[in-house]
Structure formats: structure tokens, C-alpha cells
Amino acid sequence: MAETWDRRIRRAEELTVGGGPESPLLAFYARLLQSQKAVYESLKNRGPSGSIEDDVLQIAQSGSALLHDVADDGPDQLVAEARTLLQSDDSTKRDLLLTYWSDRSDRNFFAKALLQPCAQWLATAGLATIGQRPAGADNRCPRCGGAPQLSILETTGAVAGDGSSRQLLCATCLATWPFRRVVCPQCGEEDERKLGYFQSTAFEHVRVDACDSCGRYLKSVDVGRLGLAVPLVDEVAGASLDVWALEHGYQKIELNLLGL
């Protein structure tokens, strides 16, 4: 299922109009997606080499506008960090991005925000990247080795007789890959008695998939239930489900870009 940056931006703006408790979060995400789109277009026009080490300064330069946007109109906890990065030298920015690429911390907002557009461009262009997943690790992205951000369900055109086909979406390069439906993407648990699900009437197409064996969870977006859904954005809109999961002792496999 192809997603353009424009489609993501429109969906975030549409969900903001609802005026619910997630509206401020979605309004910020819409602006952030605009900034990420600009990074993506800049890199696409200039043509990255495919090596993060070689391209890292180009990425940092392309992301200068993103840093300015957050510094001018971002959440309080990110404004100071954005201003500090804007004043830092190239070496500091380079170290920040390379450290994230080798470690993939889901708590490093700016490195993740800047590298997502680059990683998606590389994946879309079919260029090789470092960090390929180990042999047999089908719960990691085959393009960049990233962890899954969420899963996408398609209740129409189901496969394997399990009610829906399933894909995982990479938290780093935003690519998707097929994954078995009734299995934990973290530990591989297959016992249905240890795999739980939670939904809210406010987001009937989004749910929490939790595993009692490893205590981890991720959210699933059912595009068969709601064809207008854009999984990357609707996952953010379902922030209340993350609160439920945390209150019940589960930890997310990978926090989304907004730290949820």
C-alpha cells in the first residue's frame, strides 16, 4: 500500500479537524510531516549515494528547515533541543545521526525525524543500506533492519484463512513487509491464549496487539475496516490506546516518532 507524504499530511490535517484530545498532537504531526516531505524532496533532487556515512551531512543540511520549524512552533520539550542543534557544528549533527543509525533509539526524536525521509528514499530507490536484518529475523525490516512501528491489516483479500492479511511497517524507512497474522512480532509467540487485543469505540479500525509472553505490544490499523486510514497517521491518532497498554503493563515494541 503506497503512501505519499501528501497523503499523510492530508490525513493528519483531516483528523485534526475533529477537535478531540489528540488534535494538538496531530496538528504538530501534520507540520512535522510537511518538514519531512521537504527533506525527502531535497534528498531526492540531489540524489543520496546510498551510504549513510557519505550522505549524513547532506541529510543534516536538508533538515535545517525541520529544526527551525520545531524551534519556532514545537512542543516545549523539543524547542530547546532544536535550538541547540541549530547552533551546533557539523560534527555534532553527524555524530547524532550516525549514532541513531547504528543504535536506532526510539527516543531520539530529531535523528529519527531527519533519517526517516532519507531511509524511505533509499528503500524506494532500491539502494542497499547498512543494518540489514539477520538471516531468519522476519520481524525486522528486510530493507534496513528496522523494528516494526505498527501492523497493517487488510480484512479484504485475506490470506491463510486467518481473517486478514498482515504487513508490518518499518519505523525507520517506512517500508512494509508481510508477516504472519497470529504471532507476536517481538518474541514470536504463537499461542493465541497469550496474545491479546484491545480496541476502543473511538477508533474501531485501530487496536492494540499485546503479548503476555514478552510484555510487548504494537498497534494494528485495519485498512479493510476504514479505507481512508493512513496507518502511520492513524496510529498516532490512536494515542489513547497507548495509554491503555501502558496502564496494563505492556511496553511498545517501537515508540512512534512522537514518543508514543
Side-chain angles (χ1 to χ4, degrees):
M1 177 181 171
E3 284 183 2
T4 65
W5 289 99
D6 286 337
R7 187 164 182 253
R8 292 167 183 156
I9 294 164
R10 285 197 302 270
R11 181 60 174 164
E13 292 173 342
E14 290 168 0
L15 291 171
T16 300
V17 174
E22 289 84 10
S23 289
L25 184 71
L26 288 163
F28 171 64
Y29 193 37
R31 297 194 302 271
L32 180 61
L33 288 167
Q34 288 275 12
S35 297
Q36 287 189 299
K37 176 190 174 184
V39 175
Y40 180 89
E41 295 294 338
S42 174
L43 293 170
K44 181 179 177 181
N45 291 336
R46 295 169 64 181
S49 69
S51 166
I52 295 296
E53 289 88 348
D54 293 340
D55 295 332
V56 69
L57 290 181
Q58 179 182 341
I59 296 167
Q61 292 166 2
S62 299
S64 178
L66 185 150
L67 294 177
H68 279 287
D69 289 343
V70 176
D72 293 340
D73 193 22
D76 292 342
Q77 63 270 30
L78 294 177
V79 168
E81 187 178 353
R83 291 173 178 170
T84 298
L85 284 172
L86 284 168
Q87 296 171 0
S88 66
D89 56 23
D90 287 344
S91 177
T92 299
K93 296 184 180 74
R94 184 179 190 278
D95 290 345
L96 176 74
L97 295 175
L98 291 179
T99 297
Y100 169 79
W101 189 252
S102 63
D103 193 19
R104 308 289 178 92
S105 168
D106 59 1
R107 299 181 185 276
N108 193 330
F109 170 83
F110 285 104
K112 189 173 186 177
L114 292 172
L115 281 171
Q116 270 187 346
C118 179
Q120 180 174 3
W121 188 90
L122 294 172
T124 301
L127 297 177
T129 61
I130 63 171
Q132 296 291 328
R133 69 181 180 187
D138 60 352
N139 65 340
R140 291 294 181 266
C141 176
R143 293 175 176 83
C144 74
Q149 177 63 65
L150 56 93
S151 69
I152 302 170
L153 305 178
E154 299 180 23
T155 51
T156 57
V159 297
D162 59 8
S164 66
S165 61
R166 184 192 203 186
Q167 293 191 332
L168 299 181
L169 184 146
C170 178
T172 303
C173 72
L174 308 181
T176 60
W177 72 98
F179 193 76
R180 288 177 297 158
R181 172 65 185 80
V182 186
V183 61
C184 172
Q186 176 66 20
C187 69
E189 179 62 71
E190 300 180 8
D191 187 342
E192 293 187 42
R193 295 170 297 180
K194 298 180 179 179
L195 300 173
Y197 310 98
F198 173 76
Q199 282 179 284
S200 167
T201 55
F203 298 96
E204 293 186 348
H205 65 295
V206 184
R207 76 183 193 193
V208 166
D209 292 358
C211 176
D212 289 332
S213 289
C214 65
R216 306 300 288 272
Y217 82 96
L218 86 172
K219 285 186 289 193
S220 290
V221 179
D222 192 334
V223 296
R225 280 177 173 263
L226 185 64
L228 294 176
V230 176
L232 191 68
V233 178
D234 285 57
E235 196 267 348
V236 171
S240 59
L241 297 175
D242 293 292
V243 175
W244 177 92
L246 290 172
E247 289 177 345
H248 287 75
Y250 297 108
Q251 290 186 324
K252 203 169 191 180
I253 294 175
E254 173 92 9
L255 297 178
N256 61 35
L257 184 57
L258 301 187
L260 300 170

